[in-house]
C-alpha cells in the first residue's frame, strides 16, 4: 500500500448512500408522480412550508445565529431554528457549526472541510462522502452552554426525521395524499434543501463577483441568494462574517436578514451586529484600488505615470476621510480634530466628514472611469 492510499480517508457509506439515494429517488419519483397524479395542494403546501422553515432555520439559525453569533435570540426562536434546522438533514448544529467555523478560519486551505481548491464536487458534496477529520470540540465549546443546542445534538436524528418525513406523512394521512406528501414534501424537499446549502460551498466559491475582498475565494451571487435565502452574498459574508446581514445593500435579496431584523423589532432577537458602513466602503475601495493598479500596468506606457499619481492621490484622500469618519464613529470624537474645527460639536464634525467623503468618492469614481477609458498597450 502506498502512502497516498494509506492516508486517504475512508468512505462514509451512510452519508454516501443517503445523499445519492435521496437525489436519485427524487429525480425518478418526482416526474413519475407529477405525470401520473398531477400536483395536489397538500404536497405543494407541505413542500413550500417545510422548505421555507428549514431554509430559514439553516441560514438565520445554524449559520448566522449559532455558527457566527451575529445576534442573540430568545429561547422559543432558538428552539424553532434548532427543530427545523435539523430537518435539513445536514447534521446537528454542533457538528455543522464546527465544520463551518473551520471553513472560515482556514478557507481555501487544506484544513477547510469544503475546500474549493479541491474542485467543485469536493466542495459541493464530495467532502461529506468521506470520514474526514472531526474538528476539535473546543471550536464550538461556547455553543454547548446552551441546553437547547445540547438537546438537539442528542436527539438530532429523531428530530430531523420527524420534520423531514414525519410531518409530511401526517399531512398526507390527513389529506389522503400520502404518496404525494412523501415524494414532493419529503424526498424532493430534502434534496432541494441539501443542494441549496451545498451550492453555497461550491458555486459561491467559484462564480460571481468579489467586491469586498480578493483574499479568499468567496463570491457574491444574486442568483444563489434567491435559492439559498440570502446566503449568496458570500464574498461579503467571508469579509464580514460577524454581520447578521449577507446582502448588505437594502435592495439585496436576503430573507434571513429580514427575519432577524423583524424578530428584533418584536423583542425576540437582540444585539444585531453590523459592520460599520465606512469599514464596508473601505474594503470595497481597497479592491477597486488593487484592480485599477493592475489595469494601469496594461495601458499604454505614456499615460501610465500621470494616471498612477492621480490614482494614488484620489485613493489617499478617500482613505484619510474614511479613517477620520471611522474614528468619529468608533470613539465618538475625531483624533486629531482638524484645525479650526475644535469648537464644533460631534454631529457637525461627522456631517462635515460625510460631506468630504462624498466629494472624495465622486473624485474616486471619476478617476476610475478615466482609467477604464485609457488605451491598452498592444500585447505581443
Ligand atoms: Zn464559504
Ligand atoms: Zn459563514
Amino acid at each position: 500500500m502506498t502512502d497516498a492510499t494509506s492516508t486517504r480517508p475512508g468512505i462514509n457509506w451512510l452519508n454516501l448512500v443517503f445523499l445519492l439515494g435521496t437525489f436519485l429517488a427524487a429525480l425518478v419519483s418526482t416526474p413519475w408522480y407529477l405525470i401520473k397524479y398531477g400536483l395536489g395542494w397538500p404536497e405543494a403546501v407541505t413542500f413550500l412550508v417545510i422548505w421555507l422553515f428549514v431554509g430559514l432555520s439553516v441560514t438565520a439559525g445554524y449559520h448566522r445565529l449559532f455558527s457566527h453569533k451575529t445576534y442573540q435570540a430568545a429561547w422559543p426562536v432558538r428552539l424553532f431554528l434548532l427543530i427545523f434546522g435539523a430537518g435539513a438533514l445536514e447534521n446537528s448544529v454542533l457538528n455543522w457549526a464546527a465544520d463551518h467555523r473551520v471553513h472560515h478560519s482556514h478557507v481555501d486551505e487544506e484544513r477547510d472541510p469544503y475546500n474549493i481548491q479541491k474542485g467543485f464536487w469536493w466542495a459541493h458534496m464530495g467532502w461529506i462522502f468521506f470520514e474526514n477529520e472531526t474538528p476539535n470540540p473546543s471550536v464550538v465549546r461556547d455553543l454547548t452552554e446552551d441546553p437547547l443546542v445540547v438537546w438537539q445534538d442528542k436527539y438530532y436524528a429523531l428530530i430531523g426525521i420527524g420534520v423531514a418525513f414525519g410531518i409530511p406523512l401526517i399531512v398526507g394521512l390527513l389529506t389522503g395524499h400520502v404518496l404525494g406528501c412523501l415524494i414532493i414534501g419529503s424526498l424532493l424537499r430534502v434534496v432541494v434543501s441539501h443542494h441549496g446549502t451545498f451550492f453555497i460551498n461550491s458555486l459561491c466559491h467559484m462564480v460571481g463577483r468579489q467586491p469586498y475582498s480578493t483574499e479568499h475565494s468567496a463570491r457574491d451571487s444574486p442568483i444563489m441568494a434567491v435559492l439559498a435565502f440570502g446566503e449568496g452574498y458570500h464574498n461579503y459574508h467571508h469579509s464580514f462574517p460577524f454581520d447578521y446581514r449577507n446582502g448588505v445593500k437594502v435592495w439585496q435579496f436576503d430573507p434571513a436578514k429580514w427575519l432577524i431584523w423583524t424578530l428584533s423589532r418584536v423583542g425576540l432577537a437582540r444585539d444585531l451586529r453590523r459592520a460599520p458602513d465606512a469599514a464596508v466602503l473601505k474594503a470595497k475601495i481597497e479592491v477597486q484600488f488593487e484592480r485599477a493598479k493592475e489595469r494601469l500596468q496594461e495601458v499604454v506606457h505614456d499615460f501610465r505615470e500621470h494616471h498612477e499619481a492621480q490614482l494614488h492621490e484620489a485613493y489617499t484622500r478617500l482613505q484619510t476621510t474614511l479613517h477620520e469618519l471611522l474614528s468619529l464613529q468608533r470613539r465618538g470624537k475625531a483624533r486629531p480634530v482638524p484645525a479650526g474645527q475644535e469648537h464644533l460639536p460631534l454631529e457637525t464634525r461627522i456631517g462635515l466628514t460625510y460631506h468630504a467623503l462624498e466629494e472624495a468618492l465622486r473624485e474616486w469614481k471619476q478617476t476610475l472611469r478615466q482609467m477604464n477609458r485609457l488605451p491598452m498597450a498592444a500585447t505581443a
Side-chain angles (χ1 to χ4, degrees):
M1 194 184 276
T2 63
D3 282 342
T5 49
S6 61
T7 53
R8 191 183 296 161
I11 290 176
N12 184 322
W13 288 103
L14 178 69
N15 285 354
L16 189 131
V17 169
F18 180 68
L19 281 180
L20 288 185
T22 46
F23 180 77
L24 291 173
L27 198 69
V28 174
S29 63
T30 306
W32 168 80
Y33 180 85
L34 291 176
I35 290 165
K36 199 165 164 64
Y37 300 102
L39 182 67
W41 70 263
E43 51 265 29
V45 171
T46 310
F47 175 94
L48 282 174
V49 171
I50 302 184
W51 175 65
L52 188 72
F53 283 8
V54 166
L56 285 171
S57 296
V58 170
T59 53
Y62 268 44
H63 189 210
R64 301 191 200 181
L65 176 64
F66 296 106
S67 299
H68 292 296
K69 301 204 142 178
T70 64
Y71 66 102
Q72 302 288 320
W75 75 263
V77 175
R78 299 204 310 278
L79 184 64
F80 179 93
L81 298 173
L82 287 167
I83 288 174
F84 282 95
L89 300 181
E90 296 174 10
N91 223 329
S92 71
V93 79
L94 269 185
N95 290 313
W96 199 103
D99 281 331
H100 193 70
R101 285 180 181 182
V102 176
H103 167 62
H104 272 269
S105 53
H106 295 281
V107 66
D108 303 325
E109 296 170 7
E110 185 58 35
R111 285 178 65 188
D112 178 355
Y114 16 100
N115 182 4
I116 196 65
Q117 307 305 326
K118 293 184 181 175
F120 172 87
W121 283 108
W122 175 267
H124 190 71
M125 60 199 296
W127 69 281
I128 309 168
F129 297 162
F130 293 93
E131 299 284 4
N132 294 303
E133 197 186 324
T134 318
N136 192 320
S138 65
V139 174
V140 283
R141 186 158 296 145
D142 56 304
L143 294 180
T144 58
E145 286 165 18
D146 184 346
L148 288 176
V149 168
V150 177
W151 166 80
Q152 195 243 25
D153 188 60
K154 195 171 171 190
Y155 299 106
Y156 155 70
L158 211 61
I159 305 166
I161 291 167
V163 171
F165 299 101
I167 296 176
L169 181 65
I170 293 168
V171 177
L173 287 170
L174 291 174
T175 57
H177 283 237
V178 174
L179 197 58
C181 285
L182 286 180
I183 290 175
I184 312 285
S186 284
L187 206 53
L188 183 67
R189 201 285 303 161
V190 166
V191 172
V192 171
S193 294
H194 271 163
H195 291 273
T197 303
F198 298 166
F199 275 127
I200 301 299
N201 299 335
S202 55
L203 274 189
C204 281
H205 279 270
M206 289 180 93
V207 185
R209 293 174 61 244
Q210 292 184 293
Y212 303 100
S213 174
T214 51
E215 300 288 304
H216 48 73
S217 60
R219 281 148 202 275
D220 276 4
S221 161
I223 297 169
M224 279 316 303
V226 174
L227 295 177
F229 300 89
E231 301 283 54
Y233 301 103
H234 211 51
N235 186 258
Y236 180 81
H237 173 60
H238 269 269
S239 307
F240 300 97
F242 56 87
D243 196 319
Y244 83 95
R245 309 159 301 172
N246 271 18
V248 70
K249 305 230 167 73
V250 186
W251 47 266
Q252 285 177 329
F253 187 83
D254 188 351
K257 168 183 78 175
W258 301 328
L259 173 70
I260 296 165
W261 182 85
T262 309
L263 288 172
S264 77
R265 292 278 126 176
V266 294
L268 288 169
R270 60 185 167 84
D271 301 338
L272 275 54
R273 295 165 73 199
R274 295 164 60 115
D277 291 347
V280 177
L281 183 60
K282 195 171 184 299
K284 239 173 124 172
I285 301 300
E286 218 57 73
V287 173
Q288 289 172 348
F289 182 52
E290 289 307 317
R291 288 202 179 120
K293 278 196 296 186
E294 276 167 27
R295 189 180 155 78
L296 265 181
Q297 295 310 309
E298 292 164 18
V299 303
V300 174
H301 188 268
D302 294 354
F303 293 93
R304 216 174 285 167
E305 211 168 293
H306 166 71
H307 284 279
E308 217 155 41
Q310 198 186 349
L311 178 72
H312 278 86
E313 202 179 301
Y315 173 76
T316 309
R317 188 177 163 200
L318 195 49
Q319 286 294 25
T320 312
T321 324
L322 266 172
H323 186 76
E324 205 174 306
L325 189 64
L326 273 169
S327 301
L328 280 163
Q329 287 172 338
R330 277 190 199 140
R331 294 191 283 269
K333 61 180 183 203
R335 242 186 354 173
V337 177
Q341 290 187 13
E342 297 89 343
H343 60 288
L344 294 176
L346 180 68
E347 294 74 26
T348 314
R349 292 215 305 273
I350 289 181
L352 283 171
T353 317
Y354 263 121
H355 185 69
L357 182 65
E358 273 172 21
E359 284 283 304
L361 257 177
R362 207 170 301 134
E363 185 190 319
W364 175 249
K365 282 178 187 164
Q366 200 181 347
T367 310
L368 291 183
R369 266 199 301 274
Q370 277 175 4
M371 222 133 280
N372 284 334
R373 284 199 291 262
L374 291 176
M376 304 295 279
T379 45

